[in-house]
Amino acid sequence: MTVIDQASSLLTPLIAGVMLDSMTRAWCCIVIIAWNILSWSVEASMLLWIYRRIPALAHRKRNDSTHKDSCVEASPSPVAAYFAYFRQSAFRAAFGLALLYMTVLGFDNLALSYGASQGMSASTLGLFRSIGSLLGLLGALSYTALERSLGLLWTGLIGLMLQNIFLNLCTISISLPGSPFNATGYFSTLTTSKWVDGVRSTVMGGLNATDPTPALPFSELSPSIIVFFLGITLARFGLWIADPSITQIMQETIPERERYSVFGVQTSICELFSVLKDLMVIAFPETSSFGVLITISCIFVFSGFIFYFSYFIKSTCKRSRCRSGETELRDAKLPEQEHLVNKNLVDNALVAPDV
């Protein structure tokens, strides 16, 4: 599914960017609506074809009382679900993955709006998104090869390392020419009333906001914004290696009876960090303070790597102890086995009949 999702995202951003640059907003909306209707019709036709091809889908047999009892037993309380989540052996890896949601360093509206404010055209933004989807697709394919050759633990570690390395380019972009970030000037002139007015204008007047900067050719873009999106784009490769690795680790280590509730808690924690990220953006609404958001995002992504690395060390040491214990047990059994063999040989020689 990951490969299909990334493959479908290759051309869509690029086509959308070209449409936004060459067509009016009204015609863009008409084309998107028409495409959604067409794709919905195709999807409905395919689902109906599958439904008719497999008659068993039209019949559902179950015992309602048994089903209700199993649902009650399989639905623990929220507190019990969270306790089950935190006592899992893969908790550190799972929580490290959740920390990755506390970031503005992705191809969402926040980063795209920041790029547009720095003069990036919709076509350029779509090009970066398409390249990011291509790297995500390559990452998902690389995950399979790495998992077979190195195992899940090393695959997840490599993915997170690559993601952190490339996202550091975003931090570097803060200090490059053309960056709007001015920490000294922003915080020295920041007052409570100014901050409240900025938050109010962001929340209440966001729908009426317009792009302050016209689109510029790629050759005229600042090095800061190019390096920023280059870091986000390259980091997709590592992200789509780490994400399926950690998900697979959770599926293999979490008991089946707790898997549903634990994954539900994982989703809720991911959404919590996503909401906190949105609140963080509201707290720093100015473009000149976007560097603060970049720095905080890199800190959280690195914290996710630290959590996973601690799980990696713990699991590796545990496996090493198990292997050493098996080796010691095998070495301890060898003299005993040799003694038994020699004893059997002697006994057989004593009881053997004379020829």
Side-chain angles (χ1 to χ4, degrees), residues 110-266:
L110 300 173
L112 297 180
S113 299
Y114 176 67
S117 68
Q118 300 304 302
M120 270 195 166
S121 64
S123 300
T124 304
L125 293 172
L127 177 61
F128 273 109
R129 292 189 67 181
S130 296
I131 297 175
S133 297
L134 176 61
L135 291 175
L137 175 61
L138 295 177
L141 296 175
S142 300
Y143 156 75
T144 304
L146 291 173
E147 191 273 333
R148 290 176 180 175
S149 59
L150 301 177
L152 280 174
L153 288 176
W154 278 101
T155 302
L157 183 66
I158 292 173
L160 288 176
M161 287 178 62
L162 291 174
Q163 183 189 18
N164 277 270
I165 290 173
F166 291 131
L167 284 184
N168 283 330
L169 293 175
C170 300
T171 307
I172 296 174
S173 69
I174 298 175
S175 58
L176 292 179
S179 173
F181 181 60
N182 184 8
T184 304
Y186 176 77
F187 288 104
S188 62
T189 60
L190 183 64
T191 60
T192 303
S193 59
K194 181 180 178 181
W195 179 79
V196 172
D197 292 338
V199 172
R200 184 185 297 113
S201 63
T202 301
V203 176
M204 304 301 296
L207 295 176
N208 299 324
T210 57
D211 294 335
T213 305
L216 300 175
F218 186 83
S219 58
E220 297 181 9
L221 294 174
S222 65
S224 174
I225 195 64
I226 293 176
V227 172
F228 172 77
F229 274 96
L230 185 64
I232 293 179
T233 303
L234 295 176
R236 307 298 289 181
F237 180 75
L239 173 63
W240 286 106
I241 294 177
D243 184 276
S245 300
I246 298 176
T247 303
Q248 185 64 29
I249 289 173
M250 294 176 64
Q251 290 177 346
E252 292 184 1
T253 57
I254 298 174
E256 184 177 359
R257 65 181 182 277
E258 298 179 343
R259 195 170 297 161
Y260 178 80
S261 58
V262 169
F263 271 92
V265 173
Q266 174 72 4

